[in-house]
Amino acid sequence: MGVHVVHLHVVHPCCPPLPCCPPEVLRADAEHPQQTGSRVTDPNRVVPPVAESTAEAGSKGANLNTRKEFHDQRVFDAQQEIETHGADTAAEITVHTSNKEKARLDIIVSGTPNQSIPVPKGMIAEDRHGVPLPAQEIKLDNQGLAIAEVKTGKGKPERQQPECLAACEAGTATIRGTKIEDIGLNSGGKAPENVVILRDPRDPIKDK
């Protein structure tokens, strides 16, 4: 007759009961008390931002270069047309305000006091707020000067350009740079009081 041996698991009274779940699950529950469905989540976990792909970054850089090249070409075109009306121009001049703000602006025009110059082809003349002018012309002030800032597409004055354009109109700004001396103006002299935005409404990326 065989002997049947029964194995008994004896729990010592000083020992805690065996857990019903694996220890790694208990640890996860203790560390991450909140759950979403069957997934344990940490409320303090910060999800890192998705990095921009190299292709996307390259496309944005190419678009910026295309827009800059188009803008620079339109500045050159505007200068050429303005000069056909007997005025001189200089590009990339710096305007300073009495509050020590400064901005680079595209074109300074020097001609006859109170002269009116037709707006270059394909452009719209606007005030510094972007409102089209009733008379589509570049009007020189009583010094025979004007500032013309070129914008393309929906571009607006940026950085400290708004403050500097406002200071020009208020008669409190000065102009600086060596390029203005090439058209007979003095660096540090009074800036033109007349300003105009010359806008080519085309966007070289969207309007291909």
Side-chain angles (χ1 to χ4, degrees), residues 10-28:
V10 180
V11 179
H12 194 279
C14 296
C15 295
L18 291 175
C20 59
C21 297
E24 59 270 16
V25 175
L26 291 177
R27 285 196 297 273

Side-chain angles (χ1 to χ4, degrees), residues 58-136:
S59 177
K60 287 184 179 179
N63 288 348
L64 286 174
N65 288 338
T66 298
R67 287 191 170 105
K68 183 180 185 306
E69 289 173 0
F70 181 66
H71 168 269
D72 292 349
Q73 181 61 51
R74 295 306 283 144
V75 171
F76 177 79
D77 293 342
Q79 285 185 266
Q80 294 294 301
E81 285 201 46
I82 290 169
E83 290 175 1
T84 63
H85 297 280
D88 293 321
T89 67
E92 294 186 347
I93 55 98
T94 304
V95 170
H96 292 247
T97 73
S98 57
N99 294 325
K100 298 183 178 180
E101 297 156 325
K102 64 179 180 179
R104 179 170 290 182
L105 299 171
D106 287 323
I107 303 171
I108 185 168
V109 183
S110 176
T112 305
N114 303 309
Q115 180 181 356
S116 293
I117 298 174
V119 172
K121 295 179 181 66
M123 292 185 164
I124 301 168
E126 300 175 347
D127 65 17
R128 61 186 175 88
H129 302 292
V131 178
L133 296 175
Q136 287 292 296

Side-chain angles (χ1 to χ4, degrees), residues 5 23 39 48 50 52 55 95 97 99 102 124 138 140-141 146 156 162 170 178-179 181 183 197:
V5 180
R39 183 178 178 182
V50 178
E52 185 177 51
V95 170
T97 73
N99 294 325
K102 64 179 180 179
I124 301 168
I138 303 169
L140 307 190
D141 63 13
K156 297 179 180 179
T178 56
K179 291 183 179 181
E181 295 174 353
I183 59 174
I197 303 295

Side-chain angles (χ1 to χ4, degrees), residues 123-207:
M123 292 185 164
I124 301 168
E126 300 175 347
D127 65 17
R128 61 186 175 88
H129 302 292
V131 178
L133 296 175
Q136 287 292 296
E137 62 186 15
I138 303 169
K139 182 72 172 178
L140 307 190
D141 63 13
N142 55 15
Q143 300 182 86
L145 302 175
I147 293 288
E149 174 64 16
V150 175
K151 297 297 179 186
T152 61
K154 295 182 179 180
K156 297 179 180 179
E158 55 188 7
R159 300 183 180 89
Q160 293 184 329
Q161 286 182 344
E163 292 83 0
C164 290
L165 291 172
C168 286
E169 289 187 342
T172 59
T174 57
I175 48 174
R176 299 182 191 178
T178 56
K179 291 183 179 181
I180 61 175
E181 295 174 353
D182 295 337
I183 59 174
L185 302 177
N186 296 322
S187 181
K190 186 172 183 269
E193 292 187 11
N194 287 10
V195 302
V196 61
I197 303 295
L198 296 178
R199 182 177 304 283
D200 186 324
R202 294 175 296 172
D203 183 309
I205 302 301
K206 296 179 181 179
D207 301 328

Side-chain angles (χ1 to χ4, degrees), residues 46-61:
V46 177
V47 179
V50 178
E52 185 177 51
S53 70
T54 303
E56 290 174 337
S59 177
K60 287 184 179 179

